């Protein structure tokens, strides 16, 4: 373990964020097991005060400091206001978090965060907590999970792109956007374009044209064009496809995150030729994984068509 600029050992990890139901807790559980099999010492830290059904024991749980039901009962707040208060309370009690994290310095840490979008787009509490972690020599990357079913709806996908961009600008961490639950994507319906169109966020004018075929969205074409212009002008958003049941998919996400937080450039991991190529080539190196997912999706679509023909 290397020493940081402030004398504390540098610790690496992931801040797992995203909207409710995107699979954050399942991802943390699967990634902790995956990294554990690779020989890393992994610790999961639950920062979601509303998460009471944890699939595995956590090394640290915010429930020891504050819980959402207690806040709602004592302050008369709803779920959204209660979550914001909990994060503000955590930020105000940063010393508690620092002391609890100290014994975990030798671990690779996965922070399982709440699913309230406001925390990542404009509220300051969680951003302040992450800023404190950086001061304590935690080298973190934000892993933003988005349910892949949004790809089947052009309007929702544009909304996801706007949210992802806003999150990247607000959180101010190295960022990896992930399309989760890729194993279920064939259940959501047929994609209008190939999968790499969505993962690489290619020419979005085609998406606007596709939206215009809907009478409702046709009235908002100019608005959609301007939203698309903002996304393309920043040119920051892209996605890595993820199926937590597939080891190759997990490995691709791990490589992307390791480059983002700097873990792959440290002494903790033996850097193979493939790891060096991944760091040098960048996002294009993930095309093979996207292609594999796309092939599985196309095969499932072809099989469904064959079954329909047989039924006829």
């Amino acid at each position: 373990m290397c020493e940081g600029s402030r004398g504390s050992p540098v610790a690496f990890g992931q801040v797992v964020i995203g909207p409710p139901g995107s699979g954050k807790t399942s991802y943390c559980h699967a990634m902790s097991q995956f990294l554990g099999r690779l020989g890393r010492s992994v610790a999961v830290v639950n920062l979601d005060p509303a998460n009471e059904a944890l699939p595995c024991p956590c090394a640290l749980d915010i429930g020891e400091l504050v819980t959402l039901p207690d806040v709602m009962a004592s302050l008369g707040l709803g779920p959204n206001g209660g979550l914001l208060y909990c994060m503000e309370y955590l930020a105000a009690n940063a010393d508690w978090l620092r002391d609890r994290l100290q014994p975990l310095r030798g671990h690779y840490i996965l922070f399982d965060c709440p699913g309230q979008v406001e925390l990542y787009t404009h509220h300051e509490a969680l951003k302040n907590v992450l800023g404190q972690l950086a001061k304590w020599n935690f080298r973190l990357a934000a892993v933003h999970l988005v349910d892949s079913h949004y790809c089947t709806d052009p309007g929702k996908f544009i909304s996801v792109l706007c949210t992802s961009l806003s999150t990247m600008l607000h959180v101010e961490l190295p960022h990896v956007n992930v399309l989760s639950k890729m194993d279920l994507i064939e259940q959501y319906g047929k994609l209008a374009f190939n999968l790499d169109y969505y993962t690489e966020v290619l020419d979005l004018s085609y998406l606007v044209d596709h939206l215009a075929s809907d009478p409702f969205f046709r009235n908002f074409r100019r608005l959609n064009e301007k939203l698309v212009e903002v996304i393309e002008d920043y040119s920051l958003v892209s996605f890595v496809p993820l199926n937590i049941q597939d080891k190759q998919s997990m490995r691709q996400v791990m490589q992307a995150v390791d480059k983002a937080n700097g873990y792959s450039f440290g002494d903790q991991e033996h850097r193979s030729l493939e790891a060096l190529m991944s760091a040098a080539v960048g996002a294009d190196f993930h095309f093979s994984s996207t292609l594999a997912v796309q092939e599985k999706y196309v095969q499932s679509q072809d099989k469904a068509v064959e079954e329909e023909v047989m039924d006829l």
Side-chain angles (χ1 to χ4, degrees):
M1 182 175 296
C2 56
E3 293 292 323
S5 59
R6 297 169 181 80
S8 300
V10 173
F12 292 91
Q14 305 177 21
V15 179
V16 184
I17 61 179
S22 56
K24 296 183 294 298
T25 300
S26 297
Y27 169 85
C28 289
H29 179 52
M31 184 58 75
S32 65
Q33 291 185 323
F34 182 78
L35 295 177
R37 287 192 291 267
L38 295 179
R40 299 190 194 181
S41 298
V42 184
V44 177
V45 173
N46 177 41
L47 292 184
D48 185 359
N51 196 349
E52 299 178 348
L54 300 173
C56 60
C58 292
L60 175 60
D61 188 353
I62 191 177
E64 301 171 14
L65 175 69
V66 63
T67 65
L68 181 60
D70 290 343
V71 168
M72 292 172 61
S74 60
L75 299 180
L77 296 173
N80 291 337
L83 270 174
L84 295 179
Y85 179 87
C86 288
M87 289 299 101
E88 292 171 351
Y89 191 79
L90 176 63
N93 291 272
D95 291 345
W96 174 88
L97 182 61
R98 181 189 59 198
D99 294 341
R100 294 300 191 280
L101 288 174
Q102 195 62 34
L104 304 178
R105 277 290 180 174
H107 295 73
Y108 187 98
I109 302 179
L110 302 173
F111 293 91
D112 186 3
C113 296
Q116 192 165 2
V117 176
E118 295 96 312
L119 292 170
Y120 315 122
T121 57
H122 58 272
H123 198 266
E124 295 292 326
L126 187 59
K127 178 182 177 180
N128 293 336
V129 172
L130 299 178
Q132 286 294 329
L133 289 171
K135 292 179 181 179
W136 302 333
N137 274 341
F138 282 88
R139 299 293 179 262
L140 304 173
V143 179
H144 184 212
L145 299 182
V146 175
D147 197 315
S148 60
H149 87 267
Y150 291 118
C151 294
T152 61
D153 187 317
K156 291 181 180 178
F157 187 66
I158 290 178
S159 176
V160 162
L161 292 175
C162 293
T163 302
S164 299
L165 177 59
S166 179
T167 299
M168 295 176 75
L169 297 176
H170 181 73
V171 172
E172 296 181 348
L173 281 178
H175 215 87
V176 177
N177 293 303
V178 174
L179 284 176
S180 63
K181 306 180 184 179
M182 289 302 302
D183 52 318
L184 303 177
I185 192 170
E186 65 269 13
Q187 300 179 14
Y188 301 136
K190 186 175 178 59
L191 296 178
F193 306 100
N194 288 336
L195 184 61
D196 59 338
Y197 177 87
Y198 300 94
T199 57
E200 300 302 324
V201 189
L202 301 177
D203 188 352
L204 295 179
S205 63
Y206 292 104
L207 204 62
V208 174
D209 292 338
H210 189 72
L211 270 176
S213 62
D214 187 315
F216 174 79
F217 287 107
R218 190 179 303 133
N219 298 326
F220 300 97
R221 183 184 179 96
R222 285 291 295 162
L223 173 61
N224 289 324
E225 287 176 346
K226 291 302 180 182
L227 290 174
V228 162
E229 285 180 14
V230 171
I231 296 166
E232 292 184 329
D233 286 347
Y234 275 97
S235 190
L236 291 175
V237 184
S238 63
F239 297 93
V240 180
L242 171 66
N243 172 10
I244 62 173
Q245 308 297 331
D246 182 28
K247 294 181 181 178
Q248 180 65 14
S249 179
M250 292 289 289
R251 180 169 162 271
Q252 294 291 343
V253 173
M254 179 200 71
Q255 287 181 330
V257 177
D258 283 351
K259 287 187 293 180
N261 63 16
Y263 186 91
S264 61
F265 304 102
D267 298 330
Q268 294 88 341
E269 187 108 323
H270 175 68
R271 288 178 289 169
S272 64
L273 176 61
E274 186 173 359
L276 289 173
M277 285 296 294
S278 179
V281 178
D284 292 340
F285 197 70
H286 298 298
F287 177 75
S288 59
S289 67
T290 304
L291 183 62
V293 175
Q294 174 69 20
E295 287 176 349
K296 292 180 182 178
Y297 171 75
V298 172
Q299 289 170 2
S300 67
Q301 292 294 317
D302 292 342
K303 184 178 180 181
V305 172
E306 290 176 1
E307 291 176 351
E308 291 179 1
V309 173
M310 290 296 292
D311 291 340
L312 293 175

